[in-house]
Amino acid sequence: MCAAALSLLKIGRVIYGCKNDRFGGCGSVVSVSTGSYMPPGSHKFNTIGGLMKDDAIELFKQFYAGENTKAPNPKKRKNLT
């Protein structure tokens, strides 16, 4: 997602299926939408993740299995707590 575009459009809420534990910008790694990553005065928006999570993950698996057969196996993020 492009947080800057969502901010410029003054989107109030983004609802998504699954987090990206390696690169996610909506709460899984950083919170771009509400943090100091946005320029001063930017419109901030709420995010809600996990809607139909299992279905979303399955869709991604199907997509990447057909699109990039040389993609590496996903790496699990270490739990730092």
Side-chain angles (χ1 to χ4, degrees):
M1 278 191 281
C2 181
L6 295 170
S7 177
L8 287 171
L9 293 171
K10 299 196 182 316
I11 299 296
R13 181 182 313 142
V14 174
I15 302 171
Y16 60 93
C18 57
K19 295 181 177 184
N20 182 329
D21 290 333
R22 292 177 62 197
F23 307 109
C26 287
S28 51
V29 177
V30 297
S31 292
V32 174
S33 61
T34 58
S36 61
Y37 302 96
M38 300 294 279
S42 295
H43 172 77
K44 299 197 181 336
F45 53 91
N46 295 322
T47 59
I48 300 171
L51 180 67
M52 299 177 70
K53 175 184 171 183
D54 295 333
D55 292 335
I57 290 171
E58 188 58 36
L59 283 172
F60 274 117
K61 285 180 180 178
Q62 290 174 12
F63 173 78
Y64 284 110
E67 291 293 317
N68 187 355
T69 58
K70 296 181 182 180
N73 291 330
K75 297 178 184 175
K76 296 283 184 179
R77 186 170 179 216
K78 293 179 183 178
N79 189 355
L80 300 176
T81 56

